Amino acid sequence: MKPFTYARAADTPEAVREASGPSHDFIAGGTNLLDLMKLEVMAPDKLVDINRLDLKQISETEDGGLRIGALVTNSDCAADDRIRRDYPVLSRAILAGASGQLRNKATTGGNLCQRTRCYYFYDTAMPCNKREPGSGCQAIGGATRLHAIFGASDQCIATYPGDMAVAMSALDASVEIEGKDGASRTVPVRDFHRLPGDRPDKDNVLEDGELITAVTLPAPTGGRQSYRKVRDRASYAFALVSVAADIGMEDGKISHAALAFGGVAHKPWHKPELDALLTGKEPSDALFAEAADLLLAEAQGQGGNNFKILLLRRTLRAVLREATQMGETA
Ligand SMILES: Cc1cc2nc3c(=O)[nH]c(=O)nc-3n(C[C@H](O)[C@H](O)[C@H](O)COP(=O)(O)OP(=O)(O)OC[C@H]3O[C@@H](n4cnc5c(N)ncnc54)[C@H](O)[C@@H]3O)c2cc1C
Ligand code: SF4
């Protein structure tokens, strides 16, 4: 491992100040960053430990939502009574990820910023534009089982691997960010992660030294929520595809629809036209087939992941049937 310096920040301004440099990284739970440092995939000059920051609470917001501090662990978030009652899709998505031990350490901010699981990103003997810009992409034409079917570029076809952010995208949550000199901004989760384009090294919109301080959930819609993750093993495996849904029903029609998809793009995938198509309609298999056609119109397999297109169609149908109480068939 490359030598690095270490600073422990006492508060948010100090953390931001200490981290203002191109090769400075925050460390929260360390469950992703330390693995990457041991492999020398990431080699920061300086680590800024944020674990003493006062960002460990889940509190109620004035508009009836919840504010989840960036250092709330995945275990505490999933177990919170208010989240289990009003945002079960979030609780289920978190519990579908990693393992109990990892979730006890993993934090809300760190989970959002976790890096891709592309095999070549982890293998420093292989070219990878995300790890080393301009070196090439070994995945294109290589092993692509985990890779993207939406939004890939000729520079990178990797996926964002997390579950939590997919549920947060369906819930239309927002990320609170603090930067230099106390400057703060709020970014919808749906816009937080980037598509790779010609800068696959940039996973999200954070600038150097910017710190996530919280994620805010809007007031619950009262809809029926569901998270379905399809993976190679029942636990300890990343999503091949996943679907998060928040669906409201009124007078036999869909009154509210918000869907997001994991394992299929460089970011949690959200297609507003799909939500619009479903809203105001009576649920039926014909409607769900139309929704899948719309979602998959721009899907592009990479060879080894072509199966994801049919898998996503079937998973979407199963989730919609469940959420609209039509019965669960795959
Ligand atoms: C074996 C294994 C299986 C896993 N399976 C799953 C799974 O199925 N689903 C899933 O979703 N995840 C899975 N994970 C990933 C796990 O959820 C992440 O490692 C964890 O959420 C990262 O959180 P952390 O606090 O440990 O982040 P760290 O490792 O501390 O940091 C990760 C990155 O986030 C940055 N960061 C951390 N906090 C902040 C902040 N507040 N502001 C700005 N940047 C920040 C760090 O600088 C670093 O770049 C798995 C991990 C392992 C090791
Ligand atoms: S898909 Fe992206 S992360 Fe994987 S090798 Fe290509 S550039 Fe690297």
Side-chain angles (χ1 to χ4, degrees):
M1 203 193 282
K2 200 185 113 189
F4 57 89
T5 55
Y6 172 85
R8 188 183 273 149
D11 54 29
T12 298
E14 186 184 354
V16 171
R17 209 169 41 247
E18 288 284 353
S20 59
S23 186
H24 299 177
D25 270 316
F26 298 114
I27 180 160
T31 60
N32 190 214
L33 181 59
L34 291 179
D35 282 355
L36 290 164
M37 286 175 68
K38 286 182 210 160
L39 293 167
E40 295 194 1
V41 172
M42 288 177 76
D45 295 331
K46 181 175 182 182
L47 280 190
V48 181
D49 187 335
I50 57 173
N51 282 287
R52 292 198 178 166
L53 270 50
D54 185 19
L55 301 173
K56 293 182 180 146
Q57 292 86 29
I58 302 179
S59 52
E60 281 149 40
T61 62
E62 277 176 12
D63 63 1
L66 285 180
R67 184 175 185 274
I68 305 167
L71 289 172
V72 172
T73 64
N74 283 178
S75 294
D76 286 348
C77 189
D80 185 274
D81 285 343
R82 294 159 295 182
I83 290 185
R84 284 168 43 141
R85 185 188 63 223
D86 295 331
Y87 308 95
V89 64
L90 179 56
S91 190
R92 283 182 207 149
I94 291 172
L95 294 175
S99 65
Q101 292 98 323
L102 284 161
R103 293 193 297 268
N104 286 343
K105 285 299 288 176
T107 62
T108 304
N111 193 305
L112 278 174
C113 297
Q114 66 176 291
R115 311 226 48 202
T116 185
R117 293 282 157 172
C118 172
Y119 328 107
Y120 306 106
F121 176 68
Y122 279 78
D123 184 345
T124 51
M126 295 288 174
C128 168
N129 288 323
K130 186 179 279 299
R131 180 173 19 83
E132 201 182 325
S135 62
C137 173
Q138 190 70 22
I140 296 175
T144 55
R145 185 170 177 77
L146 288 179
H147 289 73
I149 55 172
F150 297 123
S153 76
D154 61 0
Q155 303 270 309
C156 178
I157 59 172
T159 50
Y160 167 76
D163 294 290
M164 182 194 80
V166 181
M168 287 177 169
S169 174
L171 294 169
D172 200 11
S174 301
V175 186
E176 291 178 22
I177 297 168
E178 194 145 324
K180 272 184 222 149
D181 305 322
S184 61
R185 59 187 179 123
T186 301
V187 177
V189 165
R190 292 172 182 172
D191 298 331
F192 178 75
H193 297 94
R194 296 178 65 257
L195 289 179
D198 58 4
R199 286 297 309 274
D201 54 312
K202 270 187 80 62
D203 294 344
N204 55 52
V205 299
L206 287 180
E207 301 294 341
D208 285 339
E210 279 192 321
L211 177 78
I212 297 170
T213 50
V215 172
T216 310
L217 305 176
T221 64
R224 201 176 156 94
Q225 299 178 8
S226 161
Y227 187 74
R228 190 172 292 218
K229 173 176 179 178
V230 185
R231 48 189 155 171
D232 281 327
R233 287 186 306 272
S235 76
Y236 229 49
F238 291 89
L240 293 168
V241 305
S242 69
V243 180
D246 181 9
I247 307 274
M249 293 290 293
E250 229 176 270
D251 301 330
K253 290 190 175 160
I254 297 172
S255 55
H256 166 83
L259 290 146
F261 305 90
V264 291
H266 201 256
K267 57 187 290 184
W269 195 249
H270 172 249
K271 189 166 174 126
E273 301 89 330
L274 179 64
D275 299 346
L277 173 83
L278 291 163
T279 305
K281 310 266 174 51
E282 266 179 44
S284 69
D285 283 330
L287 177 66
F288 300 160
E290 197 187 334
D293 288 344
L294 178 67
L295 172 67
L296 293 164
E298 58 198 300
Q300 176 77 55
Q302 306 288 342
N305 70 350
N306 291 352
F307 70 92
K308 283 192 181 184
I309 297 174
L310 183 56
L311 187 61
L312 187 59
R313 174 178 288 277
R314 289 185 171 160
T315 311
L316 173 61
R317 179 169 180 266
V319 165
L320 287 173
R321 285 189 68 102
E322 184 192 357
T324 57
Q325 295 176 283
M326 280 180 62
E328 273 201 58
T329 54

